Amino acid sequence: MPSKKMTAKKSTGGSAPRVVITLEAADDVSDASQSDEMDVASDGSHHNDFCIVCRDGAVEPNSLVCCSECPRVVCVNCMDIPAAFQHAVLADDVLFQCICCYISQQESRRRQENGPSRLPYFGFHYSDGRPVLDRFLNIRATLELSLRAQISSAPVLFVHLKIVDYDATGGSFDLAYDFLKPYFPCGGLERREVTFDIATTAKAANYQRSVDSMVRALKEQGKWDRVVIGISDHTDNDNGDPFAGYDGKKRFIAARVDNFLDIILKPWQGLVDHASESYLWFFCCGALVNNIESFKTLQTSILRHRMSAAVAFTAPRFQPSFTSHLLLAFAEIVLLERFAIHNSFPHMLGQSFKLGRHTDIFLMTPDKDQLTVTKYCWTHIDHRPWGHYLPLLCPSCGVGNAWRSASKSRVYTFECTNHPCRTSYTFKQPEGSRMLHPGKTGSSCWISIPWKY
C-alpha cells in the first residue's frame, strides 16, 4: 500500500454538534460599552510620521513639514528650500501645502475652468494666500505612491481570536501586523491574541471577564482609529456553524453564527463602535459561507455588530497561510495608505493571484442598513472558466486532463477528447460580473460578482 505520513491538520473544517450558548445580556451587543468614554479623542487626522515623497522618517528634529490641508508630511530633504527662506517658512503665520494637495487642486481647477492654466508650486504660503518663496518650490524626487495615498500612523489595533487547540499552521494575520511595525515608531500599533473556549455558559462568562480587563487597558491608551479582528476557527461541514469550544466530554461543539459572534465580539464592541474603521476576517473553512442559512445569518450579524467590512473564504478545506499576500496588501493599501477597502480590494487581489487557485473570497461592506456582498473569483480560460472548477478527471470515463476547449462570445465549452466519451461542460460569464486587471494574454484574471441569494 502507499506510504502514509501523520502531520498536523492545516485546514479549518470539521464536524461538531450544535449547541446554544447562553450568557446574560448576550443579545445586547454593546449598549454598556458604547457609553464608555475614551481618554483621547481622535478624528483620524493625525499627521503621518513618514514623508509622502521618499517614504522615510525624520532624519533630524523638525525635518518633517505638516500639510495644513491633509495628514501628509514632506521632509526637508525632498524640498529645495532656498537658504534665505529657511527661517521664514517656520513663521507662525505660514501654512504648508503638500505636493499631493497641490496637484489635486490644480487638476480640479483645470477641470472647472476648462483650460490648461496652472499655477507653479510654492508650497509655503502666508495665511492671506501670498507665497513665502520668491520662486517655485522644487521637489527633488518623484512620488512613489498614488496622489491619494497616505502613510498613515493613526492607531491600529489587531485582535486575533483563536479557538482553543487551534492546530492550523500559518501566521498571515500576524505577518500583516509585523509589516506595519516600522511605520509606527511613536506607538499606536498594538496586537492582542486571545484563545477562546465559550462552549458553555460558565466558559463564555469566564471569556468575557478575562477580555474585559484587556479592553479596559486598551481604552486607557486612547482611541483606536482602526480595529482589525481576525477569527481563526473551525466550521461544521454540514451547517456552517463556527466551533465554540469543548463540551464536558472534550468534544468540539459548534454554535449558530449569530450566537457565536454575539458572545465572541461583545467585549470588543465598544472599541469597534468608537473606531472610524473596523474589519472582521474569518479564517475559517468555506462551510460558513457555502451554507445558505449560515451565510444569511452571518450577513445579518455583520450589520448588527456595525463592522466596516468583513472578509470570508469559500474553500471547503481552507488553508489560512495562503492568505499572506492578501493580508499584506490589506495592511499596506487599506491601513497604511488609507484607501477604502471596497475600492482597493481588486488591487489587493492583484498581489495574490495564487490564492484564487485555492479559494473564492467574499467581501461584505455595509451600505446604510443593507450589506453589499461581492464574490471574487479567480478565472483561467483552461483551468477555472469563469471561476468554475473544471473536473481534473472526466467523470464519465476517468481520463485525466483530456479536455478540448472552445470559446465563443465569452462562453467556454469543454469536451472530453477520449473517443467515444464526449462528455462536455459549458460555462458562461456570471451575470453582472466584471473582469479585474486581466493578464496580457487575457487567459487569467480575477472577476467580481455582485452576490444575492
Side-chain angles (χ1 to χ4, degrees):
M1 63 181 296
S3 61
K4 297 182 178 179
K5 185 177 181 181
M6 183 68 71
T7 60
K9 180 181 179 181
K10 295 202 305 176
S11 63
T12 56
S15 298
R18 174 189 287 176
V19 298
V20 177
I21 307 167
T22 58
L23 183 65
E24 185 176 356
D27 289 333
D28 180 10
V29 176
S30 62
D31 289 346
S33 56
Q34 284 187 58
S35 62
D36 295 339
E37 293 294 332
M38 297 295 182
D39 289 345
V40 180
S42 171
D43 59 2
S45 60
H46 172 71
H47 273 92
N48 301 167
D49 289 320
F50 292 86
C51 172
I52 192 63
V53 179
C54 67
R55 296 198 284 183
D56 203 354
V59 295
E60 56 188 37
N62 300 319
S63 61
L64 292 176
V65 185
C66 300
C67 181
S68 61
E69 301 176 15
C70 77
R72 302 181 186 92
V73 298
V74 181
C75 72
V76 295
N77 289 334
C78 288
M79 298 184 289
D80 281 327
I81 304 176
F85 293 89
Q86 294 285 342
H87 293 290
V89 298
L90 300 178
D92 292 339
D93 62 340
V94 170
L95 302 175
F96 175 68
Q97 182 188 50
C98 74
I99 186 65
C100 296
C101 288
Y102 159 77
I103 294 176
S104 298
Q105 186 182 85
Q106 292 299 301
E107 289 296 326
S108 176
R109 179 179 177 180
R110 183 179 63 84
R111 288 192 296 269
Q112 292 176 2
E113 297 180 355
N114 195 26
S117 60
R118 298 170 183 241
L119 298 175
Y121 175 59
F122 288 94
F124 298 93
H125 296 81
Y126 293 109
S127 55
D128 61 5
R130 291 180 296 113
V132 176
L133 306 182
D134 60 356
R135 63 185 300 272
F136 71 87
L137 177 62
N138 185 45
I139 299 296
R140 296 175 178 174
T142 185
L143 284 175
E144 298 180 12
L145 299 175
S146 165
L147 284 173
R148 295 184 294 113
Q150 293 186 41
I151 306 179
S152 176
S153 54
V156 180
L157 172 64
F158 280 82
V159 179
H160 194 185
L161 307 176
K162 300 196 303 183
I163 184 74
V164 61
D165 292 337
Y166 185 81
D167 295 328
T169 61
S172 302
F173 197 71
D174 300 334
L175 187 63
Y177 166 80
D178 290 337
F179 169 80
L180 289 175
K181 276 183 179 179
Y183 294 95
F184 290 82
C186 302
L189 177 68
E190 292 286 344
R191 171 184 172 274
R192 295 293 184 270
E193 183 173 289
V194 178
T195 299
F196 66 85
D197 182 350
I198 56 172
T200 65
T201 300
K203 289 180 178 180
N206 182 62
Y207 162 80
Q208 181 168 332
R209 284 192 297 269
S210 63
V211 173
D212 279 345
S213 60
M214 184 184 299
V215 171
R216 283 195 298 271
L218 288 167
K219 287 181 178 180
E220 290 175 359
Q221 297 183 39
K223 177 183 175 181
W224 297 96
D225 194 62
R226 282 81 58 81
V227 176
V228 186
I229 299 177
I231 300 179
S232 294
D233 199 0
H234 306 295
T235 47
D236 178 70
N237 291 334
D238 296 324
N239 299 315
D241 296 336
F243 281 22
Y246 290 123
D247 64 5
K249 298 181 180 179
K250 197 63 176 180
R251 298 177 303 182
F252 269 128
I253 56 176
R256 273 177 52 107
V257 64
D258 52 350
N259 184 202
F260 171 82
L261 288 178
D262 281 350
I263 293 178
I264 205 74
L265 294 180
K266 180 178 174 61
W268 307 99
Q269 193 66 46
L271 294 174
V272 169
D273 290 339
H274 284 84
S276 61
E277 302 167 21
S278 54
Y279 304 96
L280 186 58
W281 289 76
F282 291 95
F283 301 105
C284 314
C285 275
L288 179 69
V289 291
N290 296 335
N291 181 283
I292 295 178
E293 291 305 317
S294 66
F295 195 16
K296 286 182 178 179
T297 307
L298 172 64
Q299 295 174 48
T300 302
S301 294
I302 292 170
L303 282 172
R304 174 174 165 78
H305 289 278
R306 297 177 287 279
M307 306 302 297
S308 301
V311 180
F313 304 90
T314 66
R317 297 174 60 84
F318 176 65
Q319 311 291 325
S321 60
F322 292 175
T323 64
S324 296
H325 291 90
L326 183 64
L327 265 292
L328 286 174
F330 166 75
E332 181 174 18
I333 299 174
V334 177
L335 298 181
L336 195 61
E337 299 182 17
R338 296 305 291 262
F339 286 102
I341 190 170
H342 62 276
N343 291 331
S344 58
F345 211 79
H347 300 283
M348 292 164 53
L349 293 173
Q351 302 181 34
S352 49
F353 73 94
K354 286 188 177 180
L355 177 63
R357 288 181 173 267
H358 176 59
T359 183
D360 298 334
I361 307 167
F362 278 106
L363 174 66
M364 295 159 275
T365 54
D367 182 11
K368 297 181 180 180
D369 58 346
Q370 295 183 335
L371 201 66
T372 298
V373 182
T374 305
K375 184 178 184 180
Y376 292 91
C377 306
W378 181 76
T379 175
H380 189 283
I381 195 171
D382 295 322
H383 308 296
R384 291 284 308 278
W386 296 122
H388 297 279
Y389 285 91
L390 188 66
L392 186 62
L393 301 178
C394 174
S396 299
C397 66
V399 172
N401 198 26
W403 301 109
R404 176 172 53 204
S405 63
S407 62
K408 182 179 181 181
S409 300
R410 297 190 174 185
V411 176
Y412 301 142
T413 300
F414 295 82
E415 184 179 73
C416 180
T417 58
N418 183 32
H419 185 77
C421 179
R422 296 297 186 261
T423 296
S424 65
Y425 290 91
T426 298
F427 303 100
K428 298 180 180 180
Q429 182 174 0
E431 183 178 355
S433 65
R434 184 168 62 92
M435 300 177 68
L436 311 175
H437 43 69
K440 293 182 179 180
T441 63
S443 61
S444 67
C445 67
W446 286 88
I447 60 173
S448 62
I449 308 172
W451 194 257
K452 288 184 180 180
Y453 282 113

